[in-house]
C-alpha cells in the first residue's frame, strides 16, 4: 500500500474513509531542543559529553592501578594480602573501575546523540527494496551532510576526549596479560624423561620399576619415570607431561622398522597424551594392537609407530626410546622424539 509524504498533522489520508481506510494522524509538532537554538546550551552539552569521556579514562586508570595495587594475594593497600577482605577490596575496586570506564563511554555517546546530533524528522513513501540510482545518490548525500552537520569537525574537544576514552579502554583488557606468567619457551618440547637419561620405567600406580620379563605379550603398562617423586619441582606438571604407556606384541607384526628399533623385543613406549586435545589414550585392543582415545575416538596403530588410523588427531603418538639395563629393567635413554600432547604452531621447529 502506497503512502504519501506527510509534512504535518491533519493532512491526507492513507485511504479514503468511505473505502474502508482511516485518516492519517500525521506527526505531532516537532519540539526543538534547547541546544538547537542556544549556543551556550550547545557548548554546555559539548563540555558534558567530553567530561563523560574523560571520566571513562579515569575509570580505566582506576582499574589498571587496582589490578596491581589491590590484589587478593600480593599487594593490597586496603587490607592484608591473602585474606577475604583483600579479595573483597580487589573485586570492589577493579569492578568499579571497569564499570566506570564502560558506563561513561556509553553515557557520553547517548548524551551526544540526544543533545548535539541532528534532530530532523523525515517521512518518505515506501519503495522497492532497491532504490533508484537517484535515490541512492540522495541517500549518500544525506549521510555526507549528516556527518557534516554532526559537528565532528568543529568539536575537537569531544573528538579528542572520545578518542582518549576509546584508546584507554583496551589497556584495561591488555594490562592483565602481563601477569599471566613467563612465556613457555621450549618447555613444551621436553619432559622429565630427558632430564635424567637412563631412568627406569616405573609402574604408574605404585612406582615400582619394570623388568623386560614382567611385560607379557599383548599387555599394556601405564608408566612414569622412576625418579619423578612428590619432592620433584613442579611435580604435577612434570607428571602430566611424562605420562606414557608400554605395550608388547609379536615383532613379526611390525609395520614400522624405525619404530621397532626404538623398543626392545617388541616392547614399545608411547606418550599417553593424545595429540588431538590432550586426553589420556588409555584403551588398548589386544587383537588389533590399536590404542584409542576415549574423548574423540582417535585411534593409533602401535604396530606402525602409533600412526593415526581414525579420528581427529593429526599426528602419531610421540615414541619414547627404551632399552634394558644390566639388571633387566626397562630404562629410557632420552626424551620423546618430539613434543607430546596437542599440536601447536611451531611443533616442528628446532627443539
Amino acid at each position: 500500500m502506497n503512502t504519501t509524504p506527510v509534512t504535518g498533522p491533519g493532512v491526507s489520508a492513507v485511504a479514503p474513509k468511505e473505502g474502508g481506510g482511516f485518516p492519517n494522524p500525521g506527526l505531532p509538532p516537532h519540539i526543538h531542543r534547547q541546544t538547537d537554538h542556544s549556543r551556550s546550551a550547545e557548548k554546555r552539552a559539548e563540555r558534558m559529553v567530553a567530561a563523560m569521556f574523560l571520566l571513562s579514562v579515569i575509570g580505566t586508570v582506576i582499574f589498571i592501578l587496582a589490578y596491581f595495587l589491590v590484589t587478593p594475594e600480593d599487594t593490597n593497600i586496603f587490607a592484608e594480602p591473602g585474606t577475604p577482605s583483600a579479595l573483597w577490596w580487589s573485586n570492589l575496586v577493579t569492578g568499579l573501575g571497569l564499570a566506570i570506564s564502560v558506563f561513561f563511554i556509553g553515557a557520553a555517546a547517548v548524551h551526544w546523540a540526544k543533545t548535539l546530533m541532528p534532530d530532523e524528522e523525515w517521512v518518505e513513501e515506501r519503495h522497492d527494496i532497491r532504490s533508484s540510482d537517484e535515490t541512492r545518490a540522495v541517500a549518500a548525500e544525506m549521510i555526507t551532510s549528516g556527518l557534516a552537520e554532526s559537528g565532528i569537525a568543529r568539536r575537537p574537544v569531544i573528538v579528542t576526549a572520545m578518542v582518549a576514552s576509546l584508546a584507554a579502554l583496551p589497556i584495561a583488557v591488555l594490562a592483565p596479560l602481563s601477569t599471566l606468567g613467563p612465556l613457555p619457551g621450549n618447555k613444551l618440547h621436553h619432559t622429565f624423561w630427558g632430564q635424567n637419561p637412563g631412568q627406569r620405567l616405573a609402574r604408574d600406580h605404585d612406582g615400582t620399576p619394570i623388568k623386560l620379563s614382567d611385560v607379557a605379550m599383548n599387555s599394556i603398562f601405564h608408566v612414569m619415570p622412576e625418579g619423578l617423586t612428590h619432592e620433584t619441582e613442579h611435580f604435577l606438571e612434570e607428571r602430566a607431561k611424562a605420562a606414557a604407556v608400554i605395550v608388547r606384541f609379536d615383532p613379526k607384526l611390525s609395520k614400522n622398522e624405525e619404530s621397532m628399533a626404538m623398543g626392545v623385543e617388541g616392547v614399545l613406549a608411547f606418550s599417553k597424551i593424545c595429540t588431538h586435545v590432550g586426553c589420556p589414550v588409555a584403551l588398548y585392543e589386544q587383537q588389533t594392537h590399536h590404542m584409542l582415545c576415549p574423548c574423540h575416538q582417535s585411534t593409533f596403530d602401535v604396530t606402525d609407530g602409533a600412526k593415526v588410523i581414525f579420528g581427529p588427531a593429526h599426528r602419531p603418538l610421540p615414541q619414547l626410546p627404551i632399552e634394558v639395563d644390566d639388571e633387566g629393567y626397562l630404562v629410557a635413554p632420552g626424551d620423546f622424539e618430539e613434543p607430546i600432547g596437542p599440536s601447536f604452531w611451531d611443533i616442528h621447529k628446532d627443539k
Side-chain angles (χ1 to χ4, degrees):
M1 180 172 61
N2 292 328
T3 62
T4 56
V6 177
T7 56
V11 295
S12 65
V14 174
K17 189 172 182 179
E18 57 274 13
F22 55 89
N24 187 337
L27 294 175
H30 179 69
I31 301 176
H32 291 280
R33 305 166 303 182
Q34 188 176 8
T35 53
D36 292 333
H37 51 72
S38 173
R39 179 60 178 168
S40 61
E42 180 183 2
K43 296 300 292 184
R44 185 166 56 252
E46 181 178 347
R47 288 193 296 269
M48 186 172 294
V49 172
M52 290 181 182
F53 280 128
L54 293 178
L55 284 173
S56 172
V57 176
I58 294 173
T60 301
V61 173
I62 292 174
F63 174 85
I64 296 172
L65 293 177
Y67 191 85
F68 294 101
L69 299 179
V70 190
T71 66
E73 298 291 340
D74 299 323
T75 303
N76 195 302
I77 60 177
F78 298 112
E80 182 180 354
T83 64
S85 179
L87 178 61
W88 185 86
W89 275 106
S90 176
N91 291 338
L92 176 65
V93 182
T94 55
L96 284 176
L98 191 59
I100 291 171
S101 178
V102 175
F103 172 79
F104 279 107
I105 285 182
V110 171
H111 194 65
W112 185 358
K114 285 185 171 294
T115 60
L116 296 174
M117 289 293 184
D119 185 37
E120 301 292 336
E121 295 176 346
W122 294 76
V123 178
E124 61 180 351
E125 293 183 354
R126 290 185 177 183
H127 50 71
D128 294 336
I129 293 178
R130 188 192 186 284
S131 303
S132 64
D133 292 337
E134 293 78 7
T135 302
R136 290 162 67 90
V138 172
E141 184 180 355
M142 290 170 59
I143 294 174
T144 303
S145 61
L147 290 174
E149 292 176 3
S150 67
I152 292 179
R154 58 188 179 84
R155 292 191 172 96
V157 176
I158 288 183
V159 174
T160 303
M162 177 185 68
V163 171
S165 65
L166 294 178
L169 183 59
I171 300 177
V173 178
L174 297 176
L177 295 179
S178 63
T179 63
L180 294 181
L183 295 174
N186 65 351
K187 292 181 180 179
L188 299 177
H189 292 275
H190 304 289
T191 72
F192 194 79
W193 293 103
Q195 295 185 21
N196 187 16
Q199 293 181 97
R200 290 176 175 176
L201 278 64
R203 294 172 177 83
D204 188 5
H205 65 284
D206 61 8
T208 57
I210 304 172
K211 287 187 174 182
L212 176 62
S213 58
D214 296 334
V215 187
M217 192 66 66
N218 298 326
S219 63
I220 181 172
F221 283 74
H222 298 260
V223 299
M224 285 285 176
E226 185 182 25
L228 182 58
T229 66
H230 287 279
E231 288 70 34
T232 302
E233 186 178 6
H234 305 301
F235 169 70
L236 292 179
E237 290 85 348
E238 294 296 346
R239 178 180 173 83
K241 293 194 298 179
V245 294
I246 58 173
V247 296
R248 188 169 193 174
F249 59 89
D250 187 345
K252 295 179 181 178
L253 300 175
S254 174
K255 307 172 188 175
N256 192 316
E257 295 183 2
E258 183 180 353
S259 175
M260 290 300 296
M262 297 174 62
V264 180
E265 298 181 15
V267 180
L268 304 179
F270 298 96
S271 171
K272 186 178 176 178
I273 311 304
C274 182
T275 53
H276 177 219
V277 292
C279 295
V281 182
L283 305 179
Y284 181 60
E285 294 180 345
Q286 292 181 331
Q287 301 302 317
T288 62
H289 306 293
H290 294 164
M291 292 179 61
L292 291 85
C293 175
C295 292
H296 305 96
Q297 289 72 56
S298 292
T299 307
F300 306 87
D301 185 358
V302 298
T303 65
D304 193 14
K307 289 183 179 178
V308 182
I309 60 174
F310 180 79
H314 287 285
R315 64 187 181 97
L317 295 173
Q319 187 167 356
L320 181 71
I322 56 175
E323 299 174 348
V324 178
D325 64 12
D326 297 337
E327 300 180 43
Y329 289 100
L330 294 173
V331 299
D335 208 344
F336 291 102
E337 290 295 295
E338 63 178 24
I340 58 93
S343 300
F344 49 93
W345 58 94
D346 61 349
I347 194 168
H348 298 300
K349 290 185 177 181
D350 292 338
K351 307 174 184 58

